[in-house]
Amino acid sequence: MGASLSWFAVRGKEQTLILKHFSLRSIGKVYQRSSYHGGLLPSGWFLVIHGRHEFTDAEVKQLSQAAEVVACFVEEHVMVSKAACWKNGQEVWSVTHDAQESLHHLEAQGELPLGFAAIRDRLTKQQEEEDDCDFIFDIPVSLAAEITGYRHDETRKETFETFVRPSFFEGLFG
């Protein structure tokens, strides 16, 4: 099995407003089957993980109003990954890999972070040395992780909160 999810790391916006953007509420650090998890990262970013979802530019644009957002999407079943940074409703940069286009496919645009070139060069070299694995897939993921301190495929010491969407009646009556 492979991961299929988007995650959003937000800085500069209150947690209550971030959860409100997604129409979510926290039920605490308990396990419950939900498409949403997250919490405050040691790096200071607030994380929302949305399982089985591909983020859209419109979604990140709205979330980034008066804030900074790093969004990352991974679909390991077809080896597609994307990371993007938005500030105050404007896209700053984005990096996309789609193995369905080519094993070496990489599209990068905008004001890329300083760490991008080193990550790209290291993983491109690794791809050239071991062509039986898709290392280019990891470029957007590694870039987002370098900035926020979060990777979807690493074991976390902290336990994330579970977020749920309130039922119709909870929405009406609180």
Side-chain angles (χ1 to χ4, degrees):
M1 289 183 87
S4 176
L5 57 88
S6 286
W7 58 261
F8 307 84
V10 183
R11 183 165 58 183
K13 188 176 274 194
E14 290 184 32
Q15 296 175 20
T16 54
L17 295 175
I18 297 167
L19 292 177
K20 186 177 181 180
H21 169 83
F22 291 102
S23 301
L24 297 173
R25 68 177 175 84
S26 174
I27 60 169
K29 293 184 177 186
V30 296
Y31 178 78
Q32 179 175 325
R33 189 173 176 92
S34 175
S35 294
Y36 301 93
H37 296 87
L40 188 62
L41 295 172
S43 61
W45 294 81
F46 187 79
L47 179 73
V48 175
I49 304 164
H50 186 178
R52 303 192 56 81
H53 173 73
E54 180 175 358
F55 73 81
T56 65
D57 287 347
E59 180 179 30
V60 184
K61 179 179 183 173
Q62 183 182 11
L63 180 60
S64 73
Q65 297 297 328
E68 180 179 12
V69 177
V70 172
C72 187
F73 166 70
V74 294
E75 178 55 77
E76 293 179 346
H77 304 93
V78 292
M79 299 307 283
V80 172
S81 61
K82 177 179 181 180
C85 177
W86 287 69
K87 287 183 185 178
N88 299 317
Q90 299 292 316
E91 185 179 67
V92 178
W93 57 263
S94 70
V95 179
T96 304
H97 169 68
D98 186 345
Q100 298 167 108
E101 296 282 331
S102 158
L103 194 60
H104 298 277
H105 173 265
L106 187 67
E107 183 179 315
Q109 56 190 21
E111 296 177 38
L112 296 163
L114 294 176
F116 170 73
I119 292 168
R120 180 200 58 213
D121 294 349
R122 175 178 53 84
L123 291 168
T124 299
K125 182 179 183 203
Q126 201 169 358
Q127 184 70 52
E128 292 167 358
E129 294 170 355
E130 303 174 49
D131 203 38
D132 61 338
C133 189
D134 186 354
F135 293 99
I136 306 302
F137 171 87
D138 208 39
I139 294 172
V141 177
S142 294
L143 184 59
E146 181 176 88
I147 295 166
T148 65
Y150 176 76
R151 281 187 66 101
H152 73 284
D153 56 357
E154 289 183 352
T155 303
R156 306 299 302 181
K157 290 181 182 175
E158 66 271 358
T159 303
F160 287 129
E161 298 174 48
T162 298
F163 305 133
V164 295
R165 287 215 160 118
S167 70
F168 175 75
F169 291 110
E170 287 174 322
L172 284 177
F173 303 111

